[in-house]
Amino acid sequence: MNPVNEKQTYIISRRGSQIFSFLLKGAKAVEIHCDACREDSILDEIYIGKVQNIVKNIGAAFVEIAPGTVCYLPLEDLKHPVYTKKGASKNVQQGDELLVQVKREGIKTKAPAVTTNLTLHGKYALLTTGNTQISVSSKLPREEKERLVRVVKEYESEARSEIRFLNKENGDSICRNHCIQNGEKKGSTSESDTEKDNSSADNGRSEGMSAGEPIYGWLLRTNAGDADPKLIKKDLLRLQTKYEELMKTAQYRTCFSCLLARPSAYLKRFGDLYTKEVDEILTDDRELFEQMTEYLRENQPEDASKLRFYEDRLLPMEKLYSLDRHLKEALAERVWLKSGGYLVIQPTEALTVIDVNTGKFTAGKKKEAAFLKLNEEAALEAARQIRLRGLSGIIIIDFINMEETESETHLLRTLDGVLRMDPIRTTLVDMTKLSLVEITRMKKERSLHESVRAGKTETQP
C-alpha cells in the first residue's frame, strides 16, 4: 500500500491513572500523547474575576478569580475588556469585575497569569477578542490565506444579513445585548499571544464596524487549508454561538464564576488533529467513549461518525494495534535504522540531543555517498521521532561528518522538507562547521517522556 494512502487510526486507551492517545499511520506510530485522568489545570478557563490591586510601576493589575487565587494581569492586555461590574472611572480600578482567561498556570512562586483577550478554540478557527482582524496560519501559502479570508468574509456578510433581518423582526440588536459594558468599536487592531506565530491578511476591516457589534476577530488554523468552506463556516458559527452564549451568561453570573471550563486534554486534542486524514477513532473504554461522543457531537459533528467502540474480547485493542510496543519504542533512548545505523535521543534540561551513529552500517568504498544515504535516513527518522515524542525547544542533531558541501546542502534540504510537514511549527536553523544541525520546535505541551514520568510520580505513595 502506498504510504500516502495508508489508513490512519486514532486510538484512546486508559492505563491506570493515565489516558494515552495514539495516532497510527499504517503500522507506524505518528504521535503518542499521555494525559492524567484527573486534571487540576485551569489553563484556558474563563472566569469573572475581581480586581484586587493595581500596581502601575510594574504595569499590572492583580485579579482574584476564586477565593484565595490571585492572578497577574498585564495592563497592556486591557484593550477590549468585558466588565460585568464597572466603577465610575473609565480606566480599570479596584473592585471592577471583568472576564479573564487563564493563559499561564502558577509556577512555584509565580501567580497564574490571565488576560482579557479571550480565545475560543474551534476545529478550523479560533475566535479571539484580542485581535479583531482576520488572521491565517503562517504555515499556509499566500493563495490559501487569501481564499480563507474570503470564506470568513462571506460568513460575516451572511451573518450580518441575518442579524439585520432579525433586528427588523424584533426591533433590537441581538449582538448589542452581548457586549457587556465595553462600549468599544470593532475594527481597532491589537496583537494577542495567540497570533504571534500567525500572519494577518488584508481583511478590509480598517473602516471599523458598527458600535454594539461583537468585538472579536478570527484566526484560521493550518488544518483549515484543505477543509470544505461549508465546514469552516459551520465551525465559525459554533464559535460565534459559544461567544454569544458566554456574553449572555456573564450578565447573570456572580463574581468568581467559571464561565468556560477546560475540556480534558485528550478531548481538546481532537481540534488539533487533521481529522480529514484520520479514518477511524477507537477506544475500548466505555466512559471515554461517552465523553468523546458528547464532545464530537457538540464541537466536531462532522467527525462523530468516525468514532467506534472496540469490543472484541478475544483480541484486546492494545494487542491488535501493538500499543505497548509503540509506547516502549517511543520512550527508548536508542532507535535503530534499516541501514544498520541508529539514533541516540537524549533530552536534557536545556535541549534535546539526537546523535547519529553508524552502528552496523558498512560504508564501502564510496564513503561520501554512503554517509549521505545514512544521514538522509537518519534525518527522516529524527523528524518522525521529534513529532512522535513531542520534543520541543532547542534540538541538536549530530550527523555523520561529510566532506562535500553539496552533500550537506542536500541533507539540509531533505531535513527541512520533512520538518515542514510537522503540524507544530518546527524550524531548521542552521548547520555548524562540526555538522551539528540546530532545530527549534514550538512547545505546546510536555513531551511524552515528561508526561509519562509525571504520571508515575503522582501515583507513587
Side-chain angles (χ1 to χ4, degrees), residues 107-135:
I107 305 172
K108 296 181 179 178
T109 58
K110 286 187 177 181
V114 295
T115 179
T116 58
N117 301 331
L118 310 180
T119 301
L120 303 181
H121 297 257
K123 180 182 177 182
Y124 300 112
L126 306 180
L127 181 153
T128 172
T129 64
N131 189 323
T132 58
Q133 303 297 315
I134 302 172
S135 301

Side-chain angles (χ1 to χ4, degrees), residues 154-186:
E154 287 174 11
Y155 168 78
E156 291 188 326
S157 178
E158 293 164 4
R160 282 197 295 272
S161 297
E162 185 177 347
I163 287 173
R164 279 195 288 270
F165 173 77
L166 291 172
N167 289 347
K168 189 176 291 185
E169 292 288 312
N170 302 326
D172 192 16
S173 170
I174 294 174
C175 292
R176 186 170 291 113
N177 291 333
H178 300 166
C179 298
I180 313 168
Q181 295 190 31
N182 51 24
E184 297 280 343
K185 286 191 177 182
K186 189 175 181 179

